Amino acid sequence: MSRIARRFQALRAEGRGALIPYVEACDPDFETSLALLKAMPEAGADLIEIGMPFSDPSADGPVIQAAALRGLAAGATLAKLFDMVRAFRTDDQETPLILMGYLNPVESYGYERFCADASAAGVDGLIIVDMPPEESGPLERFTKPAGLDMIRLIAPTTTDERLKTVLNHASGFVYYVSITGITGTRSASTEDLRAALPRLRAATDLPVVIGFGIRSPEQARNASRIADGAVVASALLATLAKTLDADNRKTDTTVSSVLSQLRDLATAVRAA
Amino acid sequence: MTDKTGINSLRHGPDASGHFGGKFGGRFVAETLMPLLTDLEAAWTHAKTDPAFRRELDFYLRDYVGRPSPLWLARRMTEELGGAKIYLKREELNHTGSHKLNNVIGQILLARRMGRTRIVAETGAGQHGVATATVCALFGMKCVIYMGATDVSRQAPNVFRMKLLGAEVIPVTAGAGTLKDAMNEAMRDWVANIADTYFLVGTVAGPHPYPEMVRDFQSVIGDEVRTQMQTAEGRLPDIIVAAIGGGSNAMGIFHPFLDDASVRLIGVEAAGCGLDSGRTAASIQRGRPGVLHGNRTYLLQDENGQIDEAHSISAGLDYPGIGPEHSWLADIGRAEYVGATDQEALDAFTFCTRTEGIIPALESAHAIAYARKIAPELSPDTLLVVNISGRGDKDINTVAEHLGVKL
């Protein structure tokens, strides 16, 4: 059983959903993002998404765009990201790590080499935002042998017919994009989320997590109860950004502020 | 929208999944947008074979755009260069001053058929933005134009035009504030406003079906050249030269000739400060295939797959990618792709103005620059067509600055 499947099974036994924070590689620098990554499980992360910085993140809002640019300015590359993952895995063999980003840097690295290196470093799954199932054949040839889950986004606009196609190419879990929009902007109402879930549940046995627009502990708790998990990205990155100095360098409060917010989110998700 | 005949025709593309030659193009977007693209494709597939749509389009092309545009024999330019016989396709005479209106008039008719009421578009030089704002005024639709902040300042007259036409112009400060950043922002707007919004792409790039659709709307250029050259010379042209940013004016004039092997097709990319200066917009000559803005195509990018900033004196060519059909035509060798530098374009700008009394857009000046380079070596019975994709009034400030003139 994969790390992702094991983690969701354990959470089911605990009777709660997952909290999935997001960290952008090398934002604001390699050491700080690694320190955050390493401390996140203890602060309440059940799975972690690591952003692969891209120059043109066209599905992301201003907060993740800025984080990606800080990461690139600090020299983020996929090779460095794999270094981060390896360093994390020296202490933590259990927390699933998901890479999220855009196709071009992956294509540039080479699909086969990317999957092999990601898997060897200790990555568990991939979310490639701009690669729909129709275009994913060439990459999927290598994700499966490497044991990497292909996590698919499902949107409110996804039709029932399309849902089948997308799910045929999904493994690990399914990521429900709760709004039609970009990351970190508006939020879906609890009613909308409740209404959306039965359709997904009927179509798949995979765990379903909700992302886009989840900011507060209350929203995270609701989403993690309606579904099997909640992703919080922009809210954490906004906190991180606020702690940086005028030159976008970390300060003494950078790591502690993000972790403190994560703890608040975790407390809400774990509350009975 | 011409007939495509012959099994081995190069004009059948793209395939059902939007790929040219099985490699370029496609549909690389977030899941939220996929169903919208499927809807758009269905609407387009229906419209392109609907005689009522064709009639409506023809009406607007004739009475609003002002088509057909003339094919002008450039006598003094021909004499001065002393070689090939040069014809200029006068797309700058279209309403709003460029070829852009051919495409936007087609797409807005489609948007209306689809019941959309709000139009978003990206623009570089502002030509596509002005064209889009114009048809939005014509049909009373809400119009939002994303334009890089750098371009907003170097194309101030076009920004003012768009505002006069009732459009909201949103400057994009991300990245270098040019066309690629405007494209990102327009895509973000679309994904957040899908219920009423139509994304009106200005070039032969983006996710399927945009490259095919924009090409078909722009192919009126090449279709007319074919007829006009037959009338003027009783045969096909020998060489067609067009400037390339995203590549819509070039694709429009090339496409009807793809199956005519005798016709050399030459796309002129912006070489900026020189092809090897590191400051160019020459995606085919200095880029490699990758995925950006919904399609796989040649891109200027670094060794890690991060997209480079393009550079050109011409805001309309300042884009690190190119339409996927051009990438395919380059790979199979059907079209040639060359470069003209900022300086060569400036020289061609004044040359065309002085010899023909036609002030070309700086974009089009790149095509003239290359024609100027090859024409003297060619025999007088060589028929060379240059696509004058737009007029240069919008570039007067930029040119004056480079000539050291204060306006």
Side-chain angles (χ1 to χ4, degrees), chain A residues 25-251:
Chain A
C26 296
D27 171 28
D29 58 71
F30 180 88
E31 289 74 19
T32 306
S33 62
L34 177 59
L36 273 172
L37 185 66
K38 284 186 158 187
M40 276 180 163
E42 202 271 321
D46 298 305
L47 296 81
I48 304 172
E49 277 185 21
I50 308 177
M52 302 185 277
F54 181 48
S55 54
D56 293 79
S58 58
D60 283 302
V63 174
I64 295 187
Q65 288 173 46
L69 292 182
R70 286 193 302 267
L72 290 174
T77 60
L78 290 174
K80 278 198 186 161
L81 195 156
F82 295 144
D83 288 344
M84 255 177 91
V85 172
R86 267 190 295 274
F88 176 86
R89 282 279 173 247
T90 56
D91 310 323
D92 187 324
Q93 291 299 316
E94 289 309 315
T95 308
L97 297 179
I98 320 297
L99 303 189
M100 182 162 185
Y102 294 79
L103 186 57
N104 200 55
V106 174
E107 185 160 310
S108 182
Y109 195 90
Y111 289 164
E112 184 169 15
R113 180 172 154 237
F114 174 84
C115 291
D117 290 0
S119 175
V123 171
D124 301 291
L126 306 176
I127 303 174
I128 310 290
V129 179
D130 58 348
M131 187 186 71
E134 289 85 345
E135 300 285 1
S136 66
L139 181 61
E140 281 178 358
R141 275 183 56 205
F142 302 110
T143 51
K144 280 175 193 162
L148 294 169
D149 281 318
M150 214 49 238
I151 291 132
R152 293 288 172 184
L153 303 181
I154 306 278
T157 51
T158 307
T159 59
D160 290 345
E161 191 192 341
R162 218 186 129 65
L163 186 59
K164 283 183 213 148
T165 309
V166 176
L167 289 170
N168 279 338
H169 293 262
S171 62
F173 60 91
V174 167
Y175 188 130
Y176 182 65
V177 175
S178 61
I179 50 148
T180 54
I182 51 177
T183 51
T185 51
R186 49 195 181 212
S187 303
S189 68
T190 307
E191 295 72 50
D192 285 349
L193 293 180
R194 281 221 174 84
L197 260 289
R199 185 169 78 109
L200 299 180
R201 295 292 193 204
T204 181
D205 294 330
L206 290 173
V208 177
V209 312
I210 297 174
F212 282 46
I214 298 178
R215 318 183 69 81
S216 68
E218 194 194 343
Q219 286 170 330
R221 184 182 58 210
N222 287 340
S224 72
R225 284 181 182 179
I226 293 166
D228 303 305
V231 179
V232 183
S234 296
L236 293 168
L237 294 174
T239 299
L240 180 146
K242 260 184 248 155
T243 67
L244 303 178
D245 71 11
D247 298 318
N248 279 333
R249 280 182 307 235
K250 67 148 189 174
T251 60

Side-chain angles (χ1 to χ4, degrees), chain B residues 36-57:
Chain B
L36 278 81
L37 291 169
T38 319
D39 287 352
L40 176 61
E41 187 185 8
W44 164 239
T45 302
H46 185 257
K48 70 179 170 185
T49 54
D50 178 358
F53 184 78
R54 182 73 252 185
R55 272 196 303 276
E56 197 181 17
L57 178 61

